[in-house]
Amino acid sequence: MEEKNVYQPYLMRIAAAIQETPDVKTFRLEFINEEDRKNFNFRAGQFGEYSVFGEGESTFCIASSPTREGYIECTFRKMGRVTKALASREVGDTLGFRGPYGNTFPIDQWKGKSLLFVTGGIALPPLRCVIWNALDTRENFKDITIVYGARSVQDLVYKHELEEWEKRGDVKLITTVDPGGETPEWKGQVGFVPTVLEKAAPSSADTIALLCGPPIMIKLTMPILTKLGFSAENIFTTLENRMKCGIGKCGRCNVGKYFVCKDGPVFTFAQVNQLPPEY
Amino acid sequence: MTEKKTIKKSSLDGLFRALKSGGKRVLAPVEGNGRTIFREVDSYNGVAAGYIQTTLSAKDALLPRCEEMLRFRTEQSTVTMEQGPAAPAPTVVFGMRPCDAKSLAVLNAVYLKDYNDELYRARADATTVIAISCTSCDEYCFCTSVGGSPGDTTGSDILLTEIDGDAYLAEILTGKGEALVAMAPDLFAAAGGAKTKPLADVKVQFDLKELEKKLPGSFEGPVWITQSLRCIGCGTCSYVCPACTCFDVQDETDANRGMRLRCWDSCGLGIFTLHTSGHNPRDVQSQRWRQRIMHKFSYQPDQLSVVGCVGCGRCSRACPVDMNILQHIKDIVEAR
Amino acid sequence: MAEFEPKIIAFVCNWCTYTGADLTGTSRIKYAANVRIIRLPCTGRIDFMLLMKAFAKGADGIIVSGCHPNDCHYTSGNFHARRRWMVFRSLLNFMGIDVRRIIFSWVSAAEGAKWAEVVNTAVKEIRALGPYDEYKNLSPIRASWRSEHAG
Amino acid sequence: MQDKIIQKARELLSGGDVKVVIGYGRGTGDRVHAVFVQKPEDAGALVMDARCLQNLAVYLPKQEVKALGKPAIVARPPVMRAIRQLMYEEQFREGDIVVIGVSDDGQVLDFPDLKSMIEYIDKLPLTLSPEEAAAVAKLDAMTREERWKFWMEETSACIKCYACRASCPMCYCPRCTVECNQPQWISVPAHEMGNLEWHIMRAMHLAGRCVNCGDCYRNCPLKIPLNLLTQRIIADIGDNFGQESEYVLAAFKPEDKEDFIR
């Protein structure tokens, strides 16, 4: 007779952990309860609330692709109370997960188009979900271009996957690090993402752009994308506001009449431009 | 379906006792130490009367200031969920004002839309509201400006209105109300021609439609800074508000047992939206004040078809720095 | 029924009391095992918040101890601490918190025997006062635990 | 008195150095509230009477008020004490603020600089009024159990709206201890433990700094007598450490009382 408490997380076991950078970690989480695993599904762009019991919950996107079933992955930077606690957890430990929440990237509508991913630092994880989703259904898309930058070589996340993408013939990957962040062995570009993007000048014809990064990067990259011929309707991003509930109740992520958690987090820049600047 | 009966004021104590012995927790306004707040009572003795408005609303009954969301136990690397919060006690809230009863519509809209908040719903289901219509008001009241009235029945299960002869007219509005009457049927008499005393004369002070029309265009206006320069950024307005619903979530532990708690939060506090990185989408008080007004009078009407303000005037009464919401709204409506 | 064994948290300075407590051990002086020692650089670092945390987390009593006046490794840490303790103790007392449960002492590095005596006396006194449930049960998690076990 | 303040404000604003006068003005109903007068011709809006109790020093660190430029502030003795303490804590320097002083007997005081204001206020030691002292003594006279019951009853009414903190000129930290969560020093929710911890912490962080303006109590929506806590501390400090213009808890005397230490 008792209905499910919407705030009750699934119990998850850490199946694998990767130290991406000195302060960024990726966990692969598997459902402890078989029933939960069977009933669970999500789509690219959705997020969840990850619990460290006793410390609280933290919000991240699901960084793995829905095409890879049976587990989810999350990538986070050690920053506050919960992420510090998360970072101290190890393979085999139990965490909580609530979700999936929020809207999705309309990948189905992008069939037959090219995709351009522009991202920096810790903002790659939300797009990684889409990248793998697209790569796992590669036949549905034309060109796939990824422009990814970080402060330094050390700060690049998913280093192994970057290598893998590099080696694949069907992805054009441009990696860059900020001036001064390169190492002697660094073979990628040196420079800020907007500059590198402008130089690479990918075509906007029949292309969807996905832009995700720190506010300053977004601010400087938007004019470049516009110059390259992208309309605001064809540039997608995922917003990140402080959240507690993830389901439109706690009130934190309210921007204008929308809740980033419920009506987002995926928005086109045409939509973002209509929002009050409170994100 | 409204059925009308009467109940003598002298019978209220009997009613309280009947409710109590029938297994109900009865909350009623009690005055003392400079505040009138809803507290659990055993009898009608000591229940406040004649208050224009209680210091805090009865929101605590439906959305407690601190509420258990879930419970867990940790043993090394494993976590087990424990039996969650006990079912809320069947509760009667006596003496809400009609504006407060109307605020339940806002709580319902927030907590039951899209994702059903079972914690809230269980409390709402377990709660019966006996409201008392207003025969007096003060300069802070403006229920009639936001679609309410001193005798509004919205949200009440039973509405009491004073009649001559030290009695109340009882409008039994819902099945829950009927069930309460059935617990002490002898205390209620037929209404037959009962004449109610005049209700408070709360004047309409602004045009709500005009305000809703005006707000989206005034986001960038200077009015927010001007109005909120004196705002000191506490959460009083939100916490005394019957219709404010925002919350925080906090984990607390004792050795290997833990609890996740939900507690009130306020958009007036800077930390509400502060990211761990230090970035704050609403960095200064004027933005937070704007959010408060926009959320109640623009976003909620747009998204939930409900106005997030019932005109109880508590925020204005309690504000340390006289941020009078009515005055501010009037100024916004009148601004060109 | 077994005698109540109070949990006591001792906040001590690194230079005097901690070393003194070490001496108690090396001198093979036995003392009550109810005390968990937390070593801090100086009594000046013993913030009142630490004491509150100890009570909230279930301590029945607290010992705060450091260098005698004029012996502070940092010259004046204990003098500053003394003023704050005085104010804090008075405030707690004013709020109805049982200040008999907070024992302040000066124990030097040479006073191994005094440390044992301070601890033993504290344990005896706090045992007589009983568990400090009044305070620790204020937290909802403790309260719910309590009500379950009462039922 | 009011006319003198208006005249002074007008002069200051006309002079060009002062950009805003923080004072009291007519509020809604019969209330007064803080006003921020920026033009000499608006100075007539300033009010000064018995209702003007808010400690306006609370606005001095506020970002949007700072943005208006150099302030002059209407200051009764508690406000002057607050400014003195804020200066001691290096929040302001000489020349940052102009003070339009108002003495307890209603005289408008002309302070050419903050140094002269400090000299003035140094001569007025902070003591409790007989009524305040009596209220503190009443609690002192209770048993510990009675005091505990009293404060449990009072603090359990607390909703953690932080009006006490927000209205206090001494609570200017950009991040309050209750917002520090590594570790979580104070329980955030307004349950009995969280409330008690909050009020102990608040009072302790004001020890030796509180100017006894009474805003924490006046502005508490639940009328919890919080100022009794800081008043107890003021009395303790007066009794034990004497009156000093410097921050007494950053100072010490070798002979300070230690009868409670074993």
Side-chain angles (χ1 to χ4, degrees):
Chain A
M1 99 170 207
E2 203 170 289
E3 275 193 57
K4 191 175 159 20
N5 178 352
V6 280
Y7 302 105
Q8 177 103 28
Y10 298 117
L11 292 180
M12 313 290 282
R13 186 172 295 115
I14 303 175
I18 299 167
Q19 194 76 44
E20 304 281 0
T21 79
D23 60 355
V24 176
K25 222 170 169 179
T26 297
F27 281 151
R28 174 173 293 188
L29 305 176
E30 290 175 355
F31 292 89
I32 286 177
N33 184 340
E34 178 62 16
E35 202 64 17
D36 293 341
R37 187 189 67 79
K38 273 197 228 145
N39 296 332
F40 184 82
N41 63 75
F42 74 99
R43 304 191 59 182
Q46 290 190 290
F47 68 94
E49 296 291 334
Y50 299 77
S51 290
V52 180
F53 291 96
E55 298 295 338
E57 291 182 309
S58 200
T59 315
F60 329 111
C61 63
I62 301 175
S64 55
S65 164
T67 50
R68 315 283 175 93
E69 288 176 13
Y71 65 86
I72 56 169
E73 286 175 343
C74 65
T75 301
F76 57 90
R77 172 176 284 157
K78 197 166 127 184
M79 285 290 278
R81 175 176 171 188
V82 178
T83 48
K84 274 191 187 146
L86 264 180
S88 72
R89 295 304 191 265
E90 291 162 2
V91 171
D93 285 354
T94 307
L95 297 178
F97 173 82
R98 287 195 289 125
Y101 296 136
N103 67 355
T104 66
F105 287 102
I107 292 184
D108 296 345
Q109 293 166 28
W110 297 343
K111 270 191 187 158
K113 290 183 191 285
S114 295
L115 302 179
L116 167 66
F117 298 89
V118 184
T119 172
I122 186 79
L124 178 57
L127 295 188
R128 174 193 184 233
C129 168
V130 190
I131 293 172
W132 277 119
N133 198 336
L135 292 178
D136 287 345
T137 53
R138 188 65 188 85
E139 64 283 5
N140 288 338
F141 304 95
K142 289 199 292 196
D143 298 342
I144 294 181
T145 311
I146 304 168
V147 180
Y148 174 51
R151 220 173 298 159
S152 69
V153 176
Q154 175 180 274
D155 289 317
L156 292 162
V157 298
Y158 306 134
K159 293 187 182 67
H160 294 290
E161 293 180 23
L162 293 174
E163 271 174 37
E164 191 182 335
W165 296 341
E166 182 92 64
K167 282 183 198 138
R168 286 174 76 120
D170 57 357
V171 178
K172 186 177 181 204
L173 175 71
I174 304 165
T175 45
T176 181
V177 294
D178 292 357
E182 67 272 27
T183 55
E185 301 80 40
W186 176 242
K187 291 192 188 65
Q189 310 255 342
V190 175
F192 297 107
V193 168
T195 328
V196 171
L197 174 70
E198 190 169 19
K199 217 164 60 188
S203 163
S204 61
D206 217 13
T207 304
I208 298 292
L210 294 94
L211 172 61
C212 205
I216 182 70
M217 190 198 106
I218 303 261
K219 200 178 151 200
L220 298 173
T221 308
M222 275 306 286
I224 311 288
L225 286 173
T226 311
K227 217 159 91 182
L228 291 170
F230 286 92
S231 68
E233 288 78 15
N234 284 331
I235 309 173
F236 286 76
T237 193
T238 161
L239 292 185
E240 192 175 55
N241 269 39
R242 190 164 187 215
M243 294 175 193
K244 286 274 180 175
C245 72
I247 54 176
K249 314 235 181 270
C250 79
R252 267 175 182 60
C253 67
N254 188 205
V255 181
K257 56 186 184 180
Y258 300 115
F259 284 105
V260 172
C261 66
K262 207 165 53 123
D263 305 300
V266 176
F267 292 93
T268 66
F269 270 89
Q271 293 168 318
V272 171
N273 293 338
Q274 298 297 311
L275 291 176
E278 295 188 338
Y279 43 83
Chain B
M1 73 160 267
T2 310
E3 197 184 350
K4 292 187 179 176
K5 288 180 181 285
T6 62
I7 181 167
K8 287 210 170 68
K9 285 184 182 172
S10 56
S11 298
L12 286 175
D13 193 50
L15 177 64
F16 274 45
R17 286 169 198 282
L19 294 174
K20 172 101 182 151
S21 63
K24 302 276 190 191
R25 177 175 75 127
V26 183
L27 304 179
V30 176
E31 196 184 340
N33 298 10
R35 49 189 176 253
T36 304
I37 46 179
F38 286 90
R39 306 182 78 148
E40 188 171 352
V41 294
D42 292 333
S43 78
Y44 185 68
N45 288 332
V47 170
Y51 52 91
I52 286 173
Q53 196 49 277
T54 52
T55 312
L56 296 177
S57 76
K59 181 165 74 177
D60 249 331
L62 293 113
L63 187 64
R65 66 185 77 171
C66 172
E67 169 181 36
E68 179 183 343
M69 298 174 91
L70 45 95
R71 234 181 251 205
F72 48 85
R73 182 192 288 272
T74 49
E75 306 280 358
Q76 270 131 29
S77 67
T78 63
V79 176
T80 39
M81 304 306 296
E82 298 218 328
Q83 182 68 42
T91 298
V92 176
V93 183
F94 175 91
M96 268 196 201
R97 292 299 181 192
C99 51
D100 282 2
K102 194 160 174 279
S103 74
L104 302 183
V106 184
L107 270 60
N108 288 340
V110 171
Y111 282 102
L112 303 180
K113 197 194 168 204
D114 296 339
Y115 290 89
N116 196 350
D117 187 315
E118 273 304 313
L119 301 172
Y120 170 78
R121 212 185 57 164
R123 284 187 200 277
D125 286 350
T127 304
T128 310
V129 175
I130 306 180
I132 304 177
S133 56
C134 305
T135 50
S136 57
C137 63
D138 64 12
E139 79 245 41
Y140 299 106
C141 292
F142 62 99
C143 56
T144 51
S145 306
V146 286
S149 76
D152 196 319
T153 55
T154 317
S156 302
D157 297 299
I158 297 176
L159 179 67
L160 303 179
T161 305
E162 276 191 76
I163 53 176
D164 293 329
D166 273 341
Y168 286 112
L169 175 74
E171 293 174 75
I172 295 116
L173 300 153
T174 65
K176 275 188 195 170
E178 283 171 12
L180 280 202
V181 173
M183 291 174 76
D186 301 345
L187 301 178
F188 292 86
K195 195 164 172 297
T196 55
K197 287 184 179 168
L199 293 182
D201 179 21
V202 184
K203 297 240 168 18
V204 177
Q205 307 248 21
F206 60 88
D207 182 350
L208 184 63
K209 286 284 158 268
E210 185 67 24
L211 176 67
E212 282 176 24
K213 222 162 66 196
K214 206 146 188 178
L215 281 176
S218 55
F219 191 89
E220 299 291 352
V223 64
W224 310 110
I225 296 183
T226 324
Q227 290 189 344
S228 70
L229 261 182
R230 67 173 181 271
C231 175
I232 51 176
C234 65
T236 306
C237 46
S238 313
Y239 292 176
V240 300
C241 176
C244 268
T245 54
C246 293
F247 63 82
D248 188 11
V249 178
Q250 294 284 334
D251 277 18
E252 294 193 351
T253 54
D254 183 58
N256 65 341
R257 309 212 0 171
M259 239 182 216
R260 187 157 288 166
L261 301 168
R262 146 152 91 192
C263 53
W264 294 351
D265 208 341
S266 166
C267 61
L269 304 171
I271 199 175
F272 187 65
T273 48
L274 179 68
H275 293 204
T276 315
S277 65
H279 170 65
N280 195 342
R282 289 195 279 275
D283 203 24
V284 289
Q285 206 56 34
S286 53
Q287 296 166 337
R288 296 171 207 141
W289 166 244
R290 175 174 62 195
Q291 170 67 12
R292 176 165 177 79
I293 297 299
M294 285 287 184
H295 192 213
K296 290 185 174 300
F297 296 100
S298 181
Y299 309 154
Q300 287 194 327
D302 189 280
Q303 294 290 292
L304 303 173
S305 309
V306 63
V307 185
C309 171
V310 293
C312 71
R314 278 194 187 85
C315 54
S316 307
R317 282 185 208 97
C319 180
V321 293
D322 193 28
M323 291 281 285
N324 187 306
I325 195 169
L326 178 57
Q327 187 60 49
H328 280 334
I329 289 172
K330 275 166 41 183
D331 290 345
I332 292 167
V333 175
E334 279 155 27
R336 314 194 120 256
Chain C
M1 215 167 109
E3 194 171 24
F4 162 63
E5 287 299 339
K7 275 198 194 100
I8 297 175
I9 306 293
F11 296 96
V12 304
C13 92
N14 177 47
W15 302 98
C16 293
T17 305
Y18 192 81
T19 317
D22 240 5
L23 181 65
T24 320
T26 49
S27 313
R28 305 199 170 230
I29 302 171
K30 281 203 170 163
Y31 66 97
N34 304 55
V35 170
R36 281 81 167 159
I37 293 182
I38 295 176
R39 174 167 61 150
L40 291 150
C42 174
T43 43
R45 168 64 184 90
I46 305 177
D47 194 288
F48 69 91
M49 306 276 291
L50 293 168
L51 278 58
M52 286 165 60
K53 204 78 190 159
F55 276 143
K57 288 283 173 193
D60 302 300
I62 293 170
I63 295 173
V64 183
S65 184
C67 310
H68 286 269
N70 296 316
D71 286 352
C72 177
H73 184 79
Y74 308 99
T75 318
S76 60
N78 53 357
F79 284 130
H80 284 103
R82 188 172 59 182
R83 277 203 169 185
R84 273 185 265 132
W85 294 346
M86 196 245 109
V87 168
F88 183 54
R89 192 170 171 274
S90 170
L91 175 72
L92 292 190
N93 184 41
F94 189 66
M95 295 187 83
I97 289 160
D98 196 345
V99 290
R100 291 173 299 177
R101 294 176 183 274
I102 310 179
I103 287 130
F104 297 90
S105 68
W106 303 133
V107 174
S108 80
E111 292 176 318
K114 182 176 177 186
W115 175 249
E117 195 204 313
V118 166
V119 171
N120 287 335
T121 315
V123 170
K124 205 176 106 202
E125 289 171 3
I126 288 157
R127 185 179 286 135
L129 293 172
Y132 201 19
D133 288 341
E134 186 177 56
Y135 195 105
K136 57 194 171 202
N137 282 346
L138 293 178
S139 87
I141 181 156
R142 284 259 186 183
S144 68
W145 201 342
R146 181 184 46 185
S147 64
E148 275 163 29
H149 286 257
Chain D
M1 165 176 62
Q2 185 169 308
D3 293 342
K4 272 196 179 160
I5 291 172
I6 292 170
Q7 192 195 331
K8 179 89 190 148
R10 202 171 278 146
E11 280 166 23
L12 286 167
L13 290 167
S14 307
D17 181 35
V18 166
K19 304 294 182 209
V20 57
V21 173
I22 308 174
Y24 307 91
R26 244 193 80 198
T28 61
D30 57 2
R31 294 173 75 164
V32 290
H33 62 227
V35 291
F36 303 83
V37 180
Q38 292 171 268
K39 295 188 204 125
E41 59 268 33
D42 295 340
L46 289 165
V47 169
M48 175 48 80
D49 58 34
R51 296 170 299 170
C52 301
L53 295 168
Q54 189 194 355
N55 193 331
L56 299 175
V58 73
Y59 294 113
L60 293 172
K62 184 173 167 174
Q63 213 174 319
E64 288 147 306
V65 174
K66 274 185 166 171
L68 299 177
K70 181 170 174 176
I73 184 167
V74 177
R76 287 180 187 272
V79 182
M80 294 185 218
R81 288 195 185 95
I83 293 169
R84 177 181 64 185
Q85 183 67 24
L86 288 169
M87 284 184 73
Y88 178 80
E89 294 173 16
E90 297 190 4
Q91 298 302 306
F92 301 105
R93 290 200 187 109
E94 182 65 85
D96 286 354
I97 311 161
V98 173
V99 173
I100 306 173
V102 179
S103 70
D104 278 332
D105 58 357
Q107 299 302 309
V108 176
L109 308 166
D110 222 357
F111 295 123
D113 49 24
L114 292 174
K115 188 168 159 272
S116 55
M117 182 211 78
I118 291 174
E119 279 164 8
Y120 173 82
I121 202 68
D122 276 351
K123 289 190 202 113
L124 294 176
L126 177 60
T127 48
L128 301 186
S129 71
E131 298 77 35
E132 289 167 341
V136 171
K138 194 178 151 198
L139 267 159
D140 280 337
M142 293 180 183
T143 65
R144 180 191 78 76
E145 287 75 14
E146 286 166 345
R147 283 196 297 272
W148 175 257
K149 202 167 154 267
F150 173 86
W151 285 110
M152 278 295 114
E153 167 75 19
E154 288 294 338
T155 59
S156 67
C158 177
I159 49 175
K160 287 253 183 99
C161 67
Y162 302 125
C164 43
R165 177 181 76 184
S167 60
C168 179
M170 292 307 142
C171 282
Y172 57 81
C173 293
R175 191 158 195 159
C176 175
T177 302
V178 73
E179 286 156 1
C180 295
N181 64 358
Q182 298 177 64
Q184 187 77 52
W185 283 110
I186 300 280
S187 270
V188 172
H191 52 55
E192 286 171 313
M193 178 72 86
N195 288 348
L196 181 70
E197 287 179 334
W198 164 251
H199 291 292
I200 295 174
M201 192 277 281
R202 199 191 72 87
M204 269 310 283
H205 282 174
L206 288 167
R209 306 171 63 235
C210 172
V211 296
N212 200 25
C213 65
D215 265 355
C216 52
Y217 167 63
R218 252 194 314 278
N219 295 332
C220 175
L222 279 311
K223 290 286 165 282
I224 301 168
L226 309 167
N227 53 342
L228 282 173
L229 301 175
T230 41
Q231 285 167 354
R232 172 71 266 170
I233 295 176
I234 288 170
D236 276 329
I237 286 174
D239 294 348
N240 293 288
F241 312 135
Q243 285 293 335
E244 290 167 40
S245 58
E246 63 188 305
Y247 174 31
V248 290
L249 286 191
F252 65 88
K253 286 187 186 132
E255 65 274 21
D256 280 340
K257 170 177 151 178
E258 59 166 43
D259 56 3
F260 61 95
I261 301 174
R262 291 178 183 179

